[in-house]
Amino acid sequence: MSISQIAVGFCYWLNKISPKSPEENEAIQYGMELLLDNVIKIIAILFIGIVLGKGFETAVVLFAFCGLRLQAGGIHAKTGWGCGFSIFLIWAISILGDVFFDIKAWFLPYIYVVSIFIIAYCVPRTMNIEYFSSQDKFRKKVYSAVFLTLLMTVAFFNQALRGLIIYPVILEVLTLLPKNKINVKGENI
């Protein structure tokens, strides 16, 4: 059974409870497909992390990256496979970076300042930007900055988690920089 078939079945079940218009059903089905696709990717990466004895580390990396990305946005892959490969690559770079390269606490303020400037200028970076009001955009900037501040604070005081937090943060912030036709359709920051 495919993700699309599950989403169609979910919409069919919802329509029995509370009938919706075809347009609403299409939006619900699309949202369900995205949710299922992302949950499967996260579970797959968590499973790989657990098999490699890096389950906790994987959870920290995914929390830092996905938590910031949820508010900030960033460039998107053209396909689900590209997205899956990208998140896998971000996970692998973060885990390997933590193992092989130590990030010193004195370097964190520099990362923080650069990240805050990028967030202030680029957030939200999403392909659905035309649906965001100016208040929504401002809220995304604030939430991104607050979440970044919390992550950086934990990283500063907890050396064991530092790399697991900082590497995915850097990689997520970098995804905010490129502008292309996928993530700037109707964008007016």
Side-chain angles (χ1 to χ4, degrees):
M1 184 174 267
S2 74
I3 290 174
S4 292
Q5 290 171 324
I6 293 170
V8 167
F10 180 74
C11 283
Y12 178 77
W13 175 73
L14 283 178
N15 259 335
K16 284 185 169 185
I17 297 169
S18 176
K20 305 282 185 225
S21 71
E23 294 81 20
E24 290 173 312
N25 280 327
E26 187 177 323
I28 292 168
Q29 179 181 339
Y30 175 70
M32 185 55 129
E33 287 176 15
L34 284 178
L35 177 67
L36 290 172
D37 187 45
N38 286 313
V39 166
I40 289 169
K41 289 172 194 165
I42 289 171
I43 290 172
I45 291 172
L46 274 170
F47 179 75
I48 293 168
I50 290 167
V51 167
L52 295 175
K54 297 283 186 185
F56 175 75
E57 293 86 345
T58 298
V60 172
V61 167
L62 290 174
F63 176 77
F65 179 79
C66 295
L68 188 55
R69 186 164 183 86
L70 184 64
Q71 294 305 317
I75 60 170
H76 291 275
K78 291 182 181 180
T79 65
W81 286 104
C83 177
F85 177 74
S86 297
I87 188 71
F88 177 80
L89 193 60
I90 287 164
W91 166 78
I93 290 169
S94 298
I95 294 292
L96 291 172
D98 180 59
V99 170
F100 293 110
F101 302 105
D102 187 35
I103 298 175
K104 302 295 183 198
W106 63 265
F107 197 59
L108 296 182
Y110 298 107
I111 296 170
Y112 179 73
V113 168
V114 169
S115 297
I116 284 292
F117 277 121
I118 293 171
I119 284 171
Y121 179 72
C122 296
V123 168
R125 179 78 32 101
T126 178
M127 57 190 182
N128 297 320
I129 195 74
E130 68 264 17
Y131 301 111
F132 283 60
S133 69
S134 57
Q135 293 92 352
D136 293 334
K137 292 175 187 177
F138 179 74
R139 194 174 308 119
K140 289 283 189 182
K141 288 178 190 299
V142 170
Y143 290 166
S144 298
V146 168
F147 192 69
L148 174 70
T149 302
L150 292 172
L151 289 173
M152 296 299 279
T153 302
V154 171
F156 185 81
F157 289 111
N158 190 330
Q159 185 177 0
L161 297 179
R162 189 171 296 149
L164 298 170
I165 293 172
I166 298 304
Y167 286 110
V169 163
I170 291 170
L171 293 169
E172 166 53 19
V173 169
L174 289 175
T175 71
L176 296 170
L177 293 175
K179 282 192 172 199
N180 61 34
K181 61 185 172 196
I182 292 174
N183 65 357
V184 295
K185 178 183 170 192
E187 185 169 348
N188 184 10
I189 295 181

